[in-house]
Amino acid sequence: MRNNNDFSRRGERAAGRGNRDPRPFASKSVHRRKGGNAFENGQADEVPGKKDFTTRHRSRKGPAPRTRAPRTAEEGIRLNRYLANAGLCSRRDADIYIQAGVVKINGKVVTELGTKVMPGDVVRFNDAVVRNERKVYILLNKPKNTVTTTDDPEGRKTVMDIIAGACHERVFPVGRLDRNTMGVLLLTNDGELTDRLTHPRFHKKKIYHVFLSKPLSREHFDIISNGFVLDDGFIKADALEYVEGGEGKQVGIEIHSGRNRIVRRIFEHFGYGIEKLDRVYFAGLTKYNLPRGHWRFLTDTEIAMLKSGRFE
């Protein structure tokens, strides 16, 4: 086992490269399946990427993107895109609001999807004028006992309470983490980016450090790695491995699925209690050098990375 200081020095170098190396853990002597992310001693906040971490963080390659003629003012912009660009919501949610009749263009309610906003049009959402605003990107290391919502009717602490005063713009969580799940959470008013990070077709990778109530058996390890059926369909881990020093009760799991409480349900299906669940990686972002309950703005490099889709 290497000294933690060695991991920290490597992590500092990785962080200095603008988070290009997203690998949060590493170890050589662990049992792993499908080559994925290695964890060591559960030091999620202190142990960033390593050279022997072999998950498939690859640039998206393929044919050169098709060129298209620049949009002219006469073409306008689709209403759902306009609302998303203003940071109100994602395009999918915008379609719901449009059909609900809460959006107006030049004083007239618009319910038809595909309607375009032309230069000079005045758009209102719930009778408030919609104005484009600067895009804000906040990375939070979410603590336990915090709800991932903009407002909680039960009066519980929310992620918005933690970042209160960070900016004048209204930002929203990208995806959800359970109240007692900790770790990487992005908040932004960029609806376009939110769509790309949450829509199932983009398959954004998530890595979790899981603390179980009892050691994970090798039989269940293999079943989870190879896939099995839950109530809502087939599921499998993209990578799974034991955390060194965790006595079989700590595992790292890499997964793309965004189904509700999916990591908890995977292990609860086999009778394991979840004592602690920590998301250490999301779409290229890690919580390295970000203490629990703290937040920071993304760097320009990180924003460019997210928009380019460089990481899964």
Side-chain angles (χ1 to χ4, degrees), residues 7-23:
F7 287 116
S8 298
R9 285 193 295 270
R10 288 172 182 261
E12 288 165 3
R13 291 196 292 271
R17 293 193 295 271
N19 228 26
R20 287 188 304 182
D21 187 346
R23 303 168 292 182

Side-chain angles (χ1 to χ4, degrees), residues 119-137:
D121 285 347
V122 176
V123 179
R124 291 181 177 271
F125 179 81
N126 283 331
D127 290 326
V129 176
V130 177
R131 295 184 175 87
N132 284 324
E133 58 186 7
R134 74 180 181 104
K135 298 298 185 287
V136 178
Y137 308 87

Side-chain angles (χ1 to χ4, degrees), residues 195-209:
D195 266 338
R196 288 200 293 272
L197 294 179
T198 58
H199 197 286
R201 74 174 181 272
F202 292 106
H203 302 291
K204 291 303 177 182
K205 181 184 299 181
K206 296 169 279 286
I207 300 175
Y208 294 85
H209 186 179

Side-chain angles (χ1 to χ4, degrees), residues 13-295:
R13 291 196 292 271
R17 293 193 295 271
N19 228 26
R20 287 188 304 182
D21 187 346
R23 303 168 292 182
F25 299 97
S27 162
K28 289 186 177 179
S29 55
V30 293
H31 183 72
R32 63 183 67 178
R33 176 59 62 95
K34 299 189 182 303
N37 42 304
F39 292 71
E40 179 162 314
N41 293 331
Q43 299 297 317
D45 291 316
E46 302 174 9
V47 186
K50 297 284 287 182
K51 297 297 184 182
D52 57 336
F53 182 88
T54 56
T55 42
R56 300 168 298 282
H57 295 292
R58 60 182 180 271
S59 300
R60 297 195 177 276
K61 297 181 179 179
R66 292 178 296 176
T67 58
R68 56 182 297 179
R71 187 185 303 275
T72 64
E74 288 74 18
E75 291 179 347
I77 179 174
R78 287 174 65 99
L79 181 55
N80 62 352
R81 186 186 183 101
Y82 185 90
L83 296 175
N85 287 347
L88 291 174
C89 54
S90 67
R91 279 191 288 176
R92 283 179 291 166
D93 287 342
D95 285 338
I96 296 174
Y97 292 132
I98 292 168
Q99 291 178 311
V102 300
V103 182
K104 297 178 181 178
I105 298 180
N106 299 329
K108 296 182 179 179
V109 174
V110 176
T111 57
E112 182 179 351
L113 300 182
T115 300
K116 291 189 175 182
V117 180
M118 305 303 291
D121 285 347
V122 176
V123 179
R124 291 181 177 271
F125 179 81
N126 283 331
D127 290 326
V129 176
V130 177
R131 295 184 175 87
N132 284 324
E133 58 186 7
R134 74 180 181 104
K135 298 298 185 287
V136 178
Y137 308 87
I138 296 174
L139 181 66
L140 170 67
N141 186 351
K142 179 187 172 296
K144 289 181 65 174
N145 298 317
T146 308
V147 184
T148 307
T149 183
T150 55
D151 182 58
D152 183 60
E154 298 180 31
R156 296 171 295 182
K157 183 178 181 180
T158 73
V159 294
M160 307 307 293
D161 294 327
I162 299 177
I163 66 165
C167 58
H168 296 295
E169 293 79 9
R170 189 180 183 190
V171 296
F172 299 86
V174 177
R176 301 182 70 87
L177 289 179
D178 293 340
R179 182 185 180 193
N180 289 320
T181 299
M182 305 173 292
V184 177
L185 181 68
L186 178 65
L187 300 100
T188 183
N189 59 349
D190 189 335
E192 289 288 310
L193 179 62
T194 298
D195 266 338
R196 288 200 293 272
L197 294 179
T198 58
H199 197 286
R201 74 174 181 272
F202 292 106
H203 302 291
K204 291 303 177 182
K205 181 184 299 181
K206 296 169 279 286
I207 300 175
Y208 294 85
H209 186 179
V210 189
F211 295 73
L212 301 172
S213 58
K214 58 184 179 180
L216 178 66
S217 72
R218 190 58 56 88
E219 176 188 2
H220 291 153
F221 181 101
D222 290 336
I223 293 174
I224 294 170
S225 297
N226 294 321
F228 64 100
V229 178
L230 286 171
D231 292 341
D232 56 352
F234 181 80
I235 189 67
K236 68 185 292 293
D238 298 308
L240 180 68
E241 61 190 61
Y242 291 105
V243 175
E244 184 175 354
E247 301 179 343
K249 296 169 66 175
Q250 295 182 36
V251 295
I253 184 170
E254 173 189 317
I255 198 163
H256 284 87
S257 173
R259 283 145 63 178
N260 186 42
R261 301 182 70 252
I262 188 61
V263 176
R264 291 183 183 274
R265 290 194 291 125
I266 285 174
F267 293 100
E268 289 171 352
H269 179 80
F270 297 101
Y272 297 91
I274 304 295
E275 295 185 346
K276 183 177 173 182
L277 184 57
D278 192 2
R279 185 161 75 177
V280 299
Y281 175 96
F282 172 63
L285 298 174
T286 76
K287 58 197 180 77
Y288 175 61
N289 268 352
L290 187 61
R292 190 83 66 203
H294 288 65
W295 60 269

